Amino acid sequence: MNSNSPIGVFDSGVGGLTVAREIMRQLPHESIIYFGDTARVPYGNKSADTIITYSKQIAHFLMKQDVKAIVIACNTASALALEALQQEITIPIIGVVEPGAKAALKATRNNNIGVIGTEGTINSDIYTKFLKAQNPAINVHKKACPLFVPLVEEGMLKDPVTDEMIRRYTKDLIDLNIDSLVLGCTHYPLLRNAIHNILGDSITLVNPAYETAISLGETLKEHNLLTTNAEANHVFYVSDGADKFKEFAGTILPCNVVEINDIHNIETYN
């Protein structure tokens, strides 16, 4: 592995850009190759076998781009496909679940942690399993929020409809006296301000994207893979809708998004 090779980052769509953004901020010299599977978004309502198949195809595509590490910037894929990919991929590969869960453990004061995510992530129970393994006294309260991803994908970050859905989805969690809430889908940090406005300061919002970037830096250092490049070069791929993706990415990322490449045959990378 070449330490100056790029880092592969993938997600079902634009949500993983929140992870890419944190990597760019915290590891500004590292180059990224990002793949958004926009033709097959959302992942949250698909079967585990389907998610594993999609994730393997994307990982194999990224390997052909000579990446030195892979970040699964999707909670659903992290929950369902990380182990399968680790058995096939020889380079370091990390997901977003463990870093987010560790941050929630540090944040909670009353041991009542809320987790919101897609149906796939919530049904996998992966956050509960990890949190309970670290501290059996933790109470984990989960809620699937299936409408958040399409609201984000449509750019409805500041909208009365979005605010109403946040109230509906989080009401039961508030009643259960949570003091920290894991934004268990990489789309959800884009709704962070809206969620905070409704939940208030008493509930700490945990952003796994931020924690994942920190974990990535530690992993690269451990494997002697930190770059020596002076400047980063970022490349973006999607499986559909390049123009829409470019417009959205330009509002999120701290870099100039010049070009988005369409890969319409991602299913051929096996």
Side-chain angles (χ1 to χ4, degrees):
M1 289 181 287
N2 184 344
S3 64
N4 290 328
S5 293
I7 297 160
V9 180
F10 78 87
D11 178 53
S12 61
V14 302
L17 291 173
T18 61
V19 178
R21 177 175 62 186
E22 293 299 336
I23 295 172
M24 292 175 186
R25 287 173 173 172
Q26 298 183 47
L27 301 167
H29 301 296
E30 298 288 349
S31 296
I32 293 173
I33 293 182
Y34 183 96
F35 184 89
D37 198 5
T38 46
R40 302 186 291 195
V41 69
Y43 278 9
N45 58 4
K46 294 178 172 62
S47 70
D49 286 344
T50 297
I51 298 303
I52 291 171
T53 297
Y54 289 177
S55 298
K56 286 183 176 180
Q57 290 168 353
I58 298 168
H60 292 158
F61 166 75
L62 291 172
M63 290 293 289
K64 290 184 179 296
Q65 315 309 309
D66 295 324
V67 297
K68 63 182 178 183
I70 293 177
V71 177
I72 307 177
C74 171
N75 280 262
T76 302
S78 294
L80 301 176
L82 177 59
E83 185 175 349
L85 290 183
Q86 287 175 331
Q87 292 174 357
E88 288 193 8
I89 304 298
T90 57
I91 62 174
I93 179 167
I94 66 172
V96 293
V97 171
E98 185 173 329
K102 286 181 176 178
L105 287 169
K106 293 179 180 178
T108 187
R109 303 173 302 280
N110 66 6
N111 285 348
N112 286 326
I113 296 175
V115 179
I116 55 175
T118 65
E119 292 176 356
T121 298
I122 296 303
N123 291 339
S124 75
D125 218 24
I126 189 166
Y127 274 101
T128 301
K129 293 173 183 175
F130 183 86
L131 289 166
K132 286 284 191 180
Q134 301 299 309
N135 183 355
I138 290 290
N139 300 306
V140 184
H141 308 289
K142 306 173 297 180
K143 182 68 176 181
C145 306
L147 290 181
F148 279 179
V149 169
L151 287 170
V152 169
E153 294 277 342
E154 289 300 317
M156 297 172 64
L157 307 183
K158 298 178 181 179
D159 191 281
V161 172
T162 302
D163 291 343
E164 177 59 24
M165 293 315 304
I166 292 171
R167 292 188 183 93
R168 291 192 185 190
Y169 284 142
T170 60
K171 181 182 182 303
D172 292 343
L173 297 176
I174 295 171
D175 292 344
L176 289 167
N177 195 33
I178 64 168
D179 71 349
S180 58
L181 179 65
V182 178
L183 305 181
C185 171
T186 50
H187 285 70
Y188 295 2
L190 297 172
L191 298 174
R192 182 187 181 96
N193 289 339
I195 294 172
H196 175 263
N197 289 339
I198 291 168
L199 269 58
D201 294 330
S202 62
I203 297 176
T204 300
L205 301 183
V206 176
N207 179 4
Y210 174 83
E211 305 299 335
T212 298
I214 293 176
S215 179
L216 173 63
E218 294 171 349
T219 299
L220 295 177
K221 184 176 181 179
E222 178 185 346
H223 289 84
N224 295 316
L225 288 175
L226 289 171
T227 187
T228 58
N229 285 335
E231 294 185 14
N233 179 39
H234 307 306
V235 181
F236 300 89
Y237 295 90
V238 294
S239 50
D240 194 24
D243 290 341
K244 183 177 179 180
F245 182 93
K246 181 180 178 181
E247 180 181 357
F248 201 97
T251 67
I252 296 173
L253 297 178
C255 69
N256 185 24
V257 181
V258 177
E259 182 181 2
I260 308 294
N261 303 282
D262 272 310
I263 301 293
H264 295 301
N265 62 338
I266 189 65
E267 67 279 355
T268 64
Y269 289 87
N270 293 310

Coordinates of all heavy atoms in Angstrom, one line a residue, residues 95-178:
G95 N -16.2 1.3 9.5 CA -17.5 1.8 9.3 C -17.8 3.0 10.3 O -16.9 3.5 10.9
V96 N -19.0 3.4 10.3 CA -19.4 4.6 11.1 C -20.0 4.2 12.4 O -20.2 5.1 13.3 CB -20.3 5.5 10.3 CG1 -19.5 6.1 9.1 CG2 -21.5 4.8 9.8
V97 N -20.4 3.0 12.6 CA -21.2 2.6 13.8 C -20.4 2.7 15.1 O -20.7 3.3 16.1 CB -21.8 1.2 13.6 CG1 -22.5 0.8 15.0 CG2 -22.9 1.2 12.5
E98 N -19.2 2.0 15.1 CA -18.4 1.9 16.3 C -18.0 3.3 16.8 O -18.1 3.6 18.0 CB -17.2 1.0 16.1 CG -16.4 0.7 17.4 CD -15.3 -0.3 17.2 OE1 -15.6 -1.3 16.4 OE2 -14.3 -0.2 17.9
P99 N -17.4 4.1 15.9 CA -17.0 5.5 16.4 C -18.2 6.3 17.0 O -18.0 6.9 18.0 CB -16.5 6.1 15.1 CG -16.0 5.0 14.3 CD -17.0 3.9 14.5
G100 N -19.4 6.2 16.4 CA -20.5 6.9 16.9 C -21.0 6.4 18.2 O -21.3 7.1 19.1
A101 N -21.0 5.0 18.3 CA -21.4 4.4 19.6 C -20.5 4.8 20.7 O -20.9 5.1 21.9 CB -21.5 2.9 19.4
K102 N -19.2 4.8 20.5 CA -18.2 5.2 21.5 C -18.4 6.6 22.0 O -18.3 6.9 23.2 CB -16.8 5.0 21.0 CG -16.3 3.5 20.9 CD -14.9 3.4 20.4 CE -14.4 2.0 20.3 NZ -13.1 1.9 19.8
A103 N -18.7 7.5 21.0 CA -19.0 8.9 21.4 C -20.2 9.0 22.2 O -20.3 9.8 23.2 CB -19.1 9.7 20.1
A104 N -21.2 8.2 22.0 CA -22.5 8.3 22.7 C -22.2 7.8 24.2 O -22.8 8.4 25.1 CB -23.5 7.4 22.1
L105 N -21.4 6.8 24.3 CA -21.1 6.3 25.7 C -20.4 7.4 26.5 O -20.6 7.5 27.7 CB -20.2 5.1 25.6 CG -20.8 3.8 25.1 CD1 -19.7 2.7 24.8 CD2 -21.8 3.3 26.2
K106 N -19.6 8.2 25.9 CA -18.9 9.3 26.5 C -19.9 10.4 26.9 O -19.7 11.1 27.9 CB -17.7 9.8 25.7 CG -16.6 8.9 25.5 CD -15.5 9.5 24.7 CE -14.3 8.5 24.5 NZ -13.3 9.1 23.6
A107 N -20.9 10.6 26.0 CA -21.8 11.8 26.1 C -22.8 11.6 27.2 O -23.3 12.5 27.8 CB -22.4 12.1 24.8
T108 N -23.3 10.3 27.4 CA -24.5 10.1 28.2 C -24.2 10.3 29.7 O -23.1 10.0 30.2 CB -25.1 8.7 28.0 OG1 -26.3 8.6 28.8 CG2 -24.1 7.6 28.5
R109 N -25.1 10.9 30.4 CA -25.0 11.1 31.8 C -26.0 10.2 32.6 O -25.7 9.9 33.8 CB -25.3 12.6 32.2 CG -24.4 13.6 31.4 CD -24.8 15.0 31.6 NE -26.2 15.3 31.2 CZ -26.5 15.5 29.9 NH1 -25.6 15.4 29.0 NH2 -27.8 15.7 29.6
N110 N -27.1 9.9 32.0 CA -28.1 9.1 32.7 C -28.2 7.6 32.1 O -29.2 6.9 32.5 CB -29.4 9.8 32.7 CG -30.0 9.9 31.3 OD1 -29.5 9.3 30.3 ND2 -31.2 10.6 31.2
N111 N -27.3 7.3 31.2 CA -27.3 5.9 30.6 C -28.6 5.7 29.7 O -28.8 4.5 29.4 CB -27.2 4.8 31.6 CG -25.8 4.7 32.2 OD1 -24.9 5.3 31.7 ND2 -25.7 4.0 33.3
N112 N -29.3 6.7 29.3 CA -30.4 6.6 28.4 C -30.0 7.2 27.0 O -29.9 8.4 26.9 CB -31.6 7.3 28.9 CG -32.3 6.5 30.0 OD1 -32.3 5.3 30.0 ND2 -32.9 7.2 30.9
I113 N -29.6 6.3 26.1 CA -29.1 6.7 24.8 C -30.2 6.4 23.7 O -30.7 5.3 23.6 CB -27.8 6.0 24.4 CG1 -26.7 6.4 25.4 CG2 -27.4 6.3 23.0 CD1 -25.4 5.6 25.2
G114 N -30.5 7.4 22.9 CA -31.4 7.3 21.8 C -30.6 7.1 20.5 O -29.5 7.6 20.3
V115 N -31.1 6.3 19.6 CA -30.5 6.0 18.3 C -31.6 6.2 17.2 O -32.6 5.5 17.3 CB -29.9 4.6 18.2 CG1 -29.3 4.4 16.8 CG2 -28.8 4.4 19.3
I116 N -31.4 7.0 16.3 CA -32.3 7.1 15.1 C -31.5 6.7 13.9 O -30.3 6.9 13.8 CB -32.9 8.5 14.9 CG1 -31.8 9.6 14.8 CG2 -33.8 8.9 16.1 CD1 -32.3 11.0 14.5
G117 N -32.2 6.1 12.9 CA -31.5 5.6 11.7 C -32.5 5.0 10.7 O -33.8 5.1 10.9
T118 N -32.0 4.4 9.7 CA -32.9 3.8 8.7 C -33.5 2.5 9.3 O -33.0 2.0 10.3 CB -32.1 3.4 7.4 OG1 -31.1 2.5 7.7 CG2 -31.5 4.7 6.8
E119 N -34.4 1.9 8.6 CA -35.0 0.7 9.1 C -34.0 -0.4 9.1 O -33.9 -1.3 10.1 CB -36.2 0.3 8.2 CG -37.4 1.2 8.3 CD -38.5 0.8 7.3 OE1 -38.3 -0.1 6.5 OE2 -39.6 1.5 7.4
G120 N -33.1 -0.4 8.1 CA -32.0 -1.5 8.1 C -31.1 -1.4 9.3 O -30.8 -2.4 9.9
T121 N -30.7 -0.2 9.6 CA -29.8 0.0 10.8 C -30.4 -0.3 12.1 O -29.9 -1.0 12.9 CB -29.2 1.5 10.8 OG1 -28.5 1.7 9.6 CG2 -28.4 1.7 12.0
I122 N -31.7 0.2 12.2 CA -32.4 -0.1 13.5 C -32.7 -1.5 13.7 O -32.5 -2.1 14.8 CB -33.7 0.8 13.5 CG1 -33.3 2.3 13.5 CG2 -34.5 0.4 14.8 CD1 -32.5 2.7 14.7
N123 N -33.2 -2.2 12.6 CA -33.5 -3.6 12.7 C -32.3 -4.5 12.9 O -32.4 -5.6 13.5 CB -34.3 -4.1 11.4 CG -35.6 -3.4 11.3 OD1 -36.2 -3.0 12.3 ND2 -36.2 -3.4 10.1
S124 N -31.1 -4.0 12.5 CA -29.9 -4.8 12.7 C -29.5 -4.9 14.2 O -28.8 -5.8 14.6 CB -28.7 -4.2 11.9 OG -28.2 -3.0 12.6
D125 N -30.0 -3.9 15.0 CA -29.7 -3.9 16.4 C -28.2 -3.7 16.7 O -27.8 -3.9 17.8 CB -30.2 -5.1 17.1 CG -30.9 -4.8 18.5 OD1 -31.3 -3.7 18.7 OD2 -30.9 -5.7 19.3
I126 N -27.5 -3.2 15.7 CA -26.0 -3.2 15.9 C -25.6 -2.2 17.0 O -24.7 -2.4 17.8 CB -25.3 -2.9 14.6 CG1 -23.8 -3.1 14.8 CG2 -25.6 -1.5 14.0 CD1 -23.0 -3.2 13.5
Y127 N -26.3 -1.0 17.1 CA -25.9 0.0 18.1 C -26.2 -0.6 19.5 O -25.4 -0.4 20.4 CB -26.7 1.3 17.9 CG -26.0 2.2 16.9 CD1 -26.4 2.3 15.6 CD2 -24.9 3.0 17.3 CE1 -25.8 3.2 14.7 CE2 -24.2 3.8 16.4 CZ -24.7 3.9 15.1 OH -24.1 4.8 14.2
T128 N -27.3 -1.2 19.6 CA -27.7 -1.8 20.9 C -26.6 -2.9 21.4 O -26.2 -2.9 22.5 CB -29.1 -2.5 20.9 OG1 -30.0 -1.5 20.6 CG2 -29.4 -3.1 22.3
K129 N -26.3 -3.7 20.4 CA -25.3 -4.8 20.7 C -24.0 -4.2 21.2 O -23.4 -4.6 22.1 CB -25.1 -5.7 19.5 CG -26.3 -6.5 19.2 CD -26.2 -7.3 17.9 CE -27.4 -8.0 17.5 NZ -27.3 -8.7 16.1
F130 N -23.5 -3.2 20.4 CA -22.2 -2.6 20.8 C -22.2 -1.9 22.1 O -21.3 -2.0 22.9 CB -21.7 -1.7 19.6 CG -20.3 -1.1 19.9 CD1 -19.2 -1.8 19.5 CD2 -20.2 0.1 20.5 CE1 -17.9 -1.3 19.7 CE2 -18.9 0.6 20.8 CZ -17.8 -0.1 20.4
L131 N -23.3 -1.0 22.3 CA -23.4 -0.2 23.5 C -23.5 -1.1 24.7 O -22.9 -0.9 25.7 CB -24.6 0.7 23.4 CG -24.4 1.9 22.4 CD1 -25.7 2.5 22.1 CD2 -23.4 2.9 22.9
K132 N -24.3 -2.2 24.6 CA -24.5 -3.1 25.7 C -23.3 -3.9 26.0 O -23.0 -4.2 27.2 CB -25.7 -4.1 25.4 CG -27.1 -3.4 25.5 CD -27.5 -3.3 26.9 CE -29.0 -2.9 27.0 NZ -29.4 -2.7 28.5
A133 N -22.5 -4.2 25.0 CA -21.2 -4.9 25.2 C -20.2 -4.1 26.0 O -19.5 -4.6 26.8 CB -20.6 -5.3 23.9
Q134 N -20.3 -2.7 25.8 CA -19.4 -1.8 26.5 C -19.9 -1.5 27.9 O -19.1 -1.3 28.8 CB -19.2 -0.5 25.7 CG -18.7 -0.7 24.2 CD -17.3 -1.4 24.2 OE1 -16.4 -0.9 24.9 NE2 -17.1 -2.4 23.5
N135 N -21.2 -1.4 28.0 CA -21.8 -1.1 29.3 C -23.2 -1.7 29.4 O -24.1 -1.1 28.9 CB -21.8 0.4 29.5 CG -22.4 0.9 30.9 OD1 -22.8 0.0 31.7 ND2 -22.4 2.2 31.1
P136 N -23.3 -2.8 30.1 CA -24.6 -3.5 30.2 C -25.7 -2.6 30.9 O -26.9 -2.9 30.7 CB -24.3 -4.7 31.1 CG -22.9 -4.9 30.9 CD -22.3 -3.6 30.8
A137 N -25.3 -1.6 31.6 CA -26.3 -0.7 32.2 C -26.9 0.3 31.3 O -27.9 1.0 31.7 CB -25.6 0.0 33.4
I138 N -26.4 0.4 30.1 CA -26.9 1.4 29.1 C -28.3 0.9 28.7 O -28.6 -0.2 28.4 CB -26.0 1.5 27.9 CG1 -24.7 2.2 28.3 CG2 -26.7 2.2 26.8 CD1 -24.9 3.7 28.6
N139 N -29.2 1.9 28.6 CA -30.6 1.7 28.0 C -30.6 2.3 26.6 O -30.3 3.5 26.5 CB -31.7 2.3 28.9 CG -31.7 1.8 30.3 OD1 -31.8 0.6 30.4 ND2 -31.6 2.6 31.3
V140 N -30.8 1.5 25.6 CA -30.8 2.0 24.2 C -32.2 2.1 23.7 O -33.0 1.1 23.7 CB -30.0 1.1 23.3 CG1 -29.9 1.7 21.9 CG2 -28.6 0.9 23.9
H141 N -32.6 3.2 23.3 CA -34.0 3.5 22.7 C -33.9 3.8 21.3 O -33.2 4.8 20.9 CB -34.7 4.6 23.5 CG -34.7 4.3 25.0 ND1 -35.4 3.4 25.6 CD2 -34.0 5.0 26.0 CE1 -35.2 3.4 26.9 NE2 -34.3 4.3 27.2
K142 N -34.5 3.0 20.4 CA -34.3 3.2 19.0 C -35.5 3.6 18.3 O -36.6 3.4 18.7 CB -33.9 1.8 18.4 CG -32.7 1.1 19.0 CD -32.5 -0.3 18.5 CE -33.7 -1.1 18.8 NZ -33.5 -2.5 18.3
K143 N -35.3 4.3 17.1 CA -36.4 4.7 16.3 C -36.0 4.8 14.8 O -35.0 5.5 14.5 CB -36.9 6.1 16.8 CG -38.1 6.6 16.0 CD -39.3 5.8 16.3 CE -40.6 6.4 15.6 NZ -41.8 5.6 15.9
A144 N -36.7 4.1 14.0 CA -36.4 4.2 12.6 C -37.1 5.5 12.0 O -38.2 5.8 12.4 CB -37.0 3.0 11.8
C145 N -36.4 6.2 11.2 CA -36.9 7.5 10.6 C -36.8 7.4 9.1 O -35.9 8.1 8.5 CB -36.1 8.6 11.2 SG -36.0 8.7 13.0
P146 N -37.6 6.6 8.5 CA -37.4 6.3 7.0 C -37.6 7.5 6.1 O -37.0 7.5 5.0 CB -38.4 5.2 6.7 CG -39.4 5.3 7.8 CD -38.7 5.8 9.0
L147 N -38.3 8.5 6.6 CA -38.5 9.7 5.7 C -37.4 10.7 5.7 O -37.3 11.6 4.8 CB -39.8 10.4 6.1 CG -41.1 9.6 5.7 CD1 -42.3 10.4 6.1 CD2 -41.2 9.3 4.3
F148 N -36.5 10.6 6.7 CA -35.4 11.6 6.7 C -34.5 11.5 5.5 O -34.1 12.6 5.0 CB -34.5 11.3 8.0 CG -35.1 11.9 9.2 CD1 -34.5 11.7 10.5 CD2 -36.3 12.6 9.2 CE1 -35.0 12.3 11.6 CE2 -36.9 13.1 10.4 CZ -36.2 12.9 11.6
V149 N -34.1 10.3 5.0 CA -33.2 10.3 3.9 C -33.8 10.9 2.6 O -33.2 11.8 2.0 CB -32.8 8.8 3.6 CG1 -32.1 8.7 2.2 CG2 -31.9 8.3 4.6
P150 N -35.1 10.6 2.2 CA -35.6 11.3 1.0 C -35.8 12.8 1.3 O -35.6 13.6 0.3 CB -37.0 10.7 0.8 CG -37.3 9.9 2.0 CD -36.0 9.5 2.6
L151 N -36.0 13.3 2.5 CA -36.1 14.7 2.8 C -34.8 15.4 2.5 O -34.7 16.4 2.0 CB -36.6 14.9 4.2 CG -38.1 14.6 4.5 CD1 -38.4 14.7 6.0 CD2 -39.0 15.6 3.7
V152 N -33.7 14.7 3.0 CA -32.4 15.3 2.8 C -32.0 15.2 1.3 O -31.5 16.2 0.8 CB -31.3 14.5 3.6 CG1 -29.9 14.9 3.2 CG2 -31.5 14.7 5.1
E153 N -32.3 14.1 0.7 CA -32.0 14.0 -0.8 C -32.7 15.0 -1.6 O -32.2 15.5 -2.6 CB -32.3 12.6 -1.3 CG -31.5 11.4 -0.7 CD -30.2 11.2 -1.4 OE1 -30.0 11.7 -2.5 OE2 -29.3 10.6 -0.8
E154 N -33.9 15.5 -1.1 CA -34.6 16.5 -1.8 C -34.2 17.9 -1.4 O -34.8 18.9 -1.9 CB -36.1 16.3 -1.6 CG -36.7 15.1 -2.3 CD -36.5 15.2 -3.8 OE1 -36.7 16.3 -4.4 OE2 -36.1 14.1 -4.4
G155 N -33.2 18.0 -0.5 CA -32.8 19.3 -0.1 C -33.7 20.0 0.9 O -33.5 21.3 1.1
M156 N -34.6 19.3 1.5 CA -35.6 19.9 2.4 C -35.0 20.0 3.8 O -35.6 19.5 4.8 CB -36.9 19.2 2.4 CG -37.5 19.2 1.0 SD -39.0 18.1 0.8 CE -40.1 18.8 2.0
L157 N -33.9 20.7 4.0 CA -33.2 20.7 5.3 C -33.9 21.8 6.2 O -33.8 21.6 7.4 CB -31.7 21.1 5.1 CG -30.9 20.3 4.1 CD1 -29.5 20.7 4.1 CD2 -31.0 18.8 4.5
K158 N -34.5 22.8 5.6 CA -35.2 23.8 6.4 C -36.6 23.9 5.8 O -36.8 24.7 4.9 CB -34.5 25.1 6.3 CG -33.1 25.1 6.9 CD -32.4 26.5 6.8 CE -31.0 26.5 7.3 NZ -30.3 27.8 7.2
D159 N -37.5 23.1 6.4 CA -38.8 23.0 5.8 C -39.8 22.6 6.9 O -39.5 21.7 7.8 CB -38.8 21.9 4.7 CG -40.1 22.0 3.9 OD1 -41.1 21.4 4.4 OD2 -40.1 22.5 2.8
P160 N -41.0 23.1 6.9 CA -42.0 22.8 8.0 C -42.3 21.3 8.0 O -42.6 20.7 9.0 CB -43.2 23.6 7.6 CG -42.7 24.8 6.8 CD -41.5 24.3 6.1
V161 N -42.3 20.7 6.8 CA -42.6 19.2 6.7 C -41.5 18.4 7.5 O -41.8 17.5 8.2 CB -42.7 18.8 5.3 CG1 -42.8 17.2 5.2 CG2 -43.9 19.4 4.6
T162 N -40.2 18.8 7.2 CA -39.1 18.2 7.9 C -39.2 18.4 9.4 O -39.0 17.4 10.2 CB -37.8 18.7 7.4 OG1 -37.7 18.5 6.0 CG2 -36.6 18.0 8.1
D163 N -39.5 19.6 9.9 CA -39.7 19.8 11.3 C -40.8 19.0 11.9 O -40.6 18.5 13.0 CB -40.0 21.3 11.5 CG -38.8 22.2 11.2 OD1 -37.7 21.7 11.1 OD2 -39.1 23.5 11.0
E164 N -41.9 18.8 11.2 CA -43.0 18.0 11.7 C -42.6 16.5 11.8 O -42.9 15.9 12.8 CB -44.2 18.1 10.8 CG -45.4 17.3 11.2 CD -45.9 17.6 12.6 OE1 -45.7 18.7 13.1 OE2 -46.5 16.6 13.2
M165 N -41.8 16.0 10.9 CA -41.4 14.6 10.9 C -40.4 14.4 12.1 O -40.4 13.4 12.7 CB -40.8 14.2 9.6 CG -41.7 14.2 8.4 SD -43.3 13.3 8.8 CE -42.8 11.7 9.4
I166 N -39.5 15.4 12.3 CA -38.6 15.3 13.5 C -39.4 15.2 14.8 O -39.1 14.4 15.6 CB -37.7 16.6 13.5 CG1 -36.7 16.5 12.3 CG2 -36.9 16.6 14.8 CD1 -35.9 17.8 12.1
R167 N -40.4 16.1 14.9 CA -41.3 16.0 16.1 C -41.9 14.6 16.3 O -41.9 14.1 17.4 CB -42.3 17.1 16.1 CG -41.8 18.5 16.2 CD -42.9 19.5 16.3 NE -42.4 20.9 16.4 CZ -42.2 21.7 15.3 NH1 -42.6 21.2 14.1 NH2 -41.7 22.9 15.4
R168 N -42.4 14.1 15.2 CA -43.1 12.8 15.3 C -42.2 11.7 15.6 O -42.5 10.8 16.5 CB -43.8 12.5 13.9 CG -45.0 13.4 13.6 CD -45.8 12.8 12.4 NE -46.8 13.7 12.0 CZ -47.8 13.4 11.1 NH1 -47.7 12.2 10.6 NH2 -48.7 14.3 10.8
Y169 N -41.0 11.7 15.0 CA -40.1 10.6 15.2 C -39.4 10.6 16.6 O -39.1 9.6 17.1 CB -39.0 10.6 14.1 CG -39.4 10.1 12.8 CD1 -38.9 10.7 11.6 CD2 -40.2 9.0 12.6 CE1 -39.3 10.2 10.3 CE2 -40.6 8.5 11.4 CZ -40.1 9.1 10.2 OH -40.4 8.7 9.0
T170 N -39.2 11.8 17.1 CA -38.4 11.9 18.4 C -39.3 12.0 19.6 O -38.8 11.9 20.7 CB -37.5 13.1 18.3 OG1 -38.3 14.3 18.2 CG2 -36.5 13.0 17.2
K171 N -40.6 12.1 19.5 CA -41.5 12.3 20.6 C -41.3 11.2 21.7 O -41.1 11.5 22.9 CB -42.9 12.4 20.2 CG -43.9 12.6 21.4 CD -45.3 12.6 20.9 CE -46.3 12.9 22.1 NZ -46.1 11.9 23.2
D172 N -41.4 9.9 21.2 CA -41.3 8.8 22.1 C -39.9 8.8 22.8 O -39.8 8.4 24.0 CB -41.5 7.5 21.4 CG -43.0 7.4 21.0 OD1 -43.8 8.1 21.5 OD2 -43.2 6.5 20.1
L173 N -38.8 9.1 22.1 CA -37.5 9.1 22.6 C -37.4 10.2 23.7 O -36.7 9.9 24.8 CB -36.5 9.4 21.5 CG -36.4 8.3 20.4 CD1 -35.4 8.7 19.4 CD2 -36.0 7.0 21.0
I174 N -38.0 11.3 23.5 CA -37.9 12.4 24.5 C -38.7 11.9 25.8 O -38.2 12.2 26.9 CB -38.5 13.7 24.0 CG1 -37.7 14.2 22.8 CG2 -38.7 14.7 25.1 CD1 -38.3 15.4 22.1
D175 N -39.8 11.3 25.6 CA -40.6 10.8 26.7 C -39.8 9.7 27.5 O -40.1 9.5 28.7 CB -41.9 10.2 26.2 CG -42.9 11.3 25.7 OD1 -42.6 12.5 25.9 OD2 -43.8 10.9 24.9
L176 N -38.8 9.1 26.9 CA -38.0 8.0 27.5 C -36.8 8.6 28.2 O -36.0 7.9 28.7 CB -37.6 7.0 26.5 CG -38.8 6.1 26.0 CD1 -38.3 5.3 24.8 CD2 -39.2 5.1 27.1
N177 N -36.7 9.9 28.3 CA -35.7 10.7 29.0 C -34.3 10.4 28.5 O -33.3 10.3 29.3 CB -35.8 10.3 30.5 CG -35.0 11.2 31.4 OD1 -34.9 12.4 31.1 ND2 -34.4 10.7 32.5
I178 N -34.1 10.3 27.2 CA -32.8 10.2 26.6 C -32.0 11.5 26.9 O -32.6 12.6 26.9 CB -32.8 9.9 25.1 CG1 -33.4 11.0 24.3 CG2 -33.5 8.5 24.9 CD1 -33.2 10.9 22.8

